[in-house]
Amino acid sequence: MMRQGARNFVRRFSRLAAAAETSSAAVPRMPAFDHVPLPYDGPSAAEIARKRAEYLSPSLFHFYSKPLNIVEGKRQYLFDEHGRRYLDAFAGIATVCCGHCHPDVVDAIAAQARRLQHSTVLYLNHAIADFAEALASKLPGDLKVVFFTNSGTEANELAILMARLYTGSHDIISLRNSYHGNAAGTMGATAQKNWKFNVVQSGVHHAVNPDPYRGAFGTDAEKYVRDVQEIIEFGTTGHVAGFISEAIQGVGGIVEVSPGYLPLAYEKVRNAGGLCIADEVQAGFARVGSHFWGFETHGVVPDIVTMAKGIGNGIPLGAVVTTPEIAQVLTRRCYFNTFGGNPLCTAGGLAVLKVLEKEKLQENAFVVGSYLKDRLRGLQEKHEIIGDVRGTGFMLGVELVTDRQQKTPAKEEICHAMEHMKDMGVLVGKGGFYGNVFRITPPLCFTKEDADFFVEVMDIALSKL
């Protein structure tokens, strides 16, 4: 039983947090939420920042002029060291799908940790088999053989390797503006200079991006696909290993691939002997709302599907799913991943799938995501700085430009807007090649009330620019 002193502390802590949330009359009122964060007695943001600067890689970066010290999360909300609540509209880069610290997922991980935290795939354990079976049931056709990894980068690395082994070809085609990871093969497939080091990246060709907003051919899928055919004819032997793409480019700024493009591109690649890889690291696991996978919105069935992020609700977990025939290529040598498919992560992953179904989060992503997109389009009519609103479900993008005709990226303005939104209690991401796109990828439990609050806060933030 909680002692009286502790109860008084919690009450005082809650009052301070509530006061911080509503400190300004101009700030819209955040939706009610009955969770009280635990008292925090850890190091301050300043102390963590000092240690981070001294002991962690200088390549790490952060949002905001004064980075937040996030100490607790519950559902679609995060709490800082002072107990202040924030609406999370980024979900750890489209990673938290069920909601922060969902009790079903936490309980599954804790129960597995108490019984067996790690063994090895050299022994049998039901957790990995149960999750693989459940995951395969979510995929179409003959996509039913699973290989688990620890991240999306690892998953894409493995998919590219498998395509090259299966076809006997080396050439991979990816799209400009894409991001597929930061290891050797995936950095080659990534097509933004912001994410590429000067190291050997061989055998990758980058096709013109079928971007309906900034692309040279608008939404004309056939014209974009001509470039894929010309790459095959003039940049390869006529035979390729594969084609990798996202249905919606996440890091690239929530860019939707032009309608009709993927079926045509898949046809060209398969005619050249290649495999088609769907990168579902960000768009997968019900985030697009209308379907469970992003590629399904285009009516295609890939040969290999890669996934991570939402697969584990924040657990280090990724996977490659392919057909039994293609999977055989990994038996030619020994291929191993020490932590891929460990009992802890796969038990959590299975719990995530069950929560998505039980709470109908795909349906929620569709209904609330559509509502949010409509409200954002209303903001576009009001604010000249919004050049484009795009995406589907809970994978939405708002691109800021200083000139709608020239589509001049509003790079500084978006940073100021993010600061204003944070001050009013909303956390959102940004991305795109120019860093001028709001990436709105909240947990799938986001509500209409959250959407209204988000739009009201963005409206005020843009009005201050």
Side-chain angles (χ1 to χ4, degrees), residues 139 143 277-278 280 293 295 302-307 319-322:
L139 287 146
L143 292 164
I277 304 168
E280 291 288 326
W293 306 104
F295 66 78
D303 303 295
I304 303 174
V305 181
T306 64
M307 59 199 73
V320 177
V321 185
T322 189

Side-chain angles (χ1 to χ4, degrees), residues 88 90-100 281-282 284-285 287 308-317 352 394 439 441-444:
D88 183 9
F90 197 30
I93 316 180
T95 297
V96 177
C97 60
C98 299
H100 292 281
V281 170
Q282 294 195 34
F285 287 87
R287 181 159 292 281
K309 294 188 181 292
I311 190 176
N313 204 52
I315 304 167
L317 180 63
V352 168
F394 280 145
R439 293 170 64 187
T441 57
L444 306 190

Side-chain angles (χ1 to χ4, degrees), residues 114-169:
R114 284 192 293 268
R115 180 177 289 272
L116 179 67
Q117 183 175 343
H118 177 77
S119 57
T120 166
V121 291
L122 299 175
Y123 309 131
L124 296 181
N125 185 275
H126 74 89
I128 185 173
D130 291 347
F131 184 37
E133 179 184 32
L135 192 56
S137 73
K138 290 290 188 182
L139 287 146
D142 212 21
L143 292 164
K144 59 185 180 184
V145 179
V146 185
F147 194 102
F148 289 109
T149 66
N150 304 291
S151 69
T153 290
E154 284 188 5
N156 284 333
E157 282 280 326
L158 178 57
I160 290 171
L161 172 66
M162 293 173 75
R164 285 170 166 164
L165 291 174
Y166 182 81
T167 62
S169 298

Side-chain angles (χ1 to χ4, degrees), residues 172-246:
I172 294 288
I173 300 173
S174 71
L175 299 178
R176 294 178 188 175
N177 195 53
S178 63
Y179 178 88
H180 298 291
N182 54 14
T186 52
M187 189 177 292
T190 292
Q192 287 192 42
K193 68 177 183 179
N194 308 326
W195 303 98
K196 294 168 77 73
F197 287 95
N198 184 26
V199 296
V200 174
Q201 299 164 43
S202 66
V204 181
H205 309 266
H206 302 120
V208 171
N209 192 32
D211 179 349
Y213 181 63
R214 288 188 175 272
F217 307 119
T219 59
D220 193 330
E222 291 187 2
K223 288 183 179 179
Y224 289 114
V225 171
R226 288 177 195 167
D227 188 54
V228 175
Q229 185 62 42
E230 289 183 359
I231 285 173
I232 293 169
E233 292 176 350
F234 300 110
T236 76
T237 63
H239 297 275
V240 299
F243 170 81
I244 183 170
S245 73
E246 305 163 88

Side-chain angles (χ1 to χ4, degrees), residues 55 74 85 113 120 138 212 248 294 299 319 402 418 427 432:
Y55 297 111
K74 190 69 174 178
R85 178 163 58 109
T120 166
K138 290 290 188 182
I248 302 177
T402 56
M418 286 180 67
L427 306 182

Side-chain angles (χ1 to χ4, degrees), residues 239-275:
H239 297 275
V240 299
F243 170 81
I244 183 170
S245 73
E246 305 163 88
I248 302 177
Q249 294 176 337
V251 174
I254 317 297
V255 176
E256 296 179 272
V257 174
S258 293
Y261 176 82
L262 283 183
L264 294 172
Y266 275 29
E267 180 183 6
K268 299 295 184 186
V269 170
R270 284 171 172 157
N271 287 343
L275 300 181

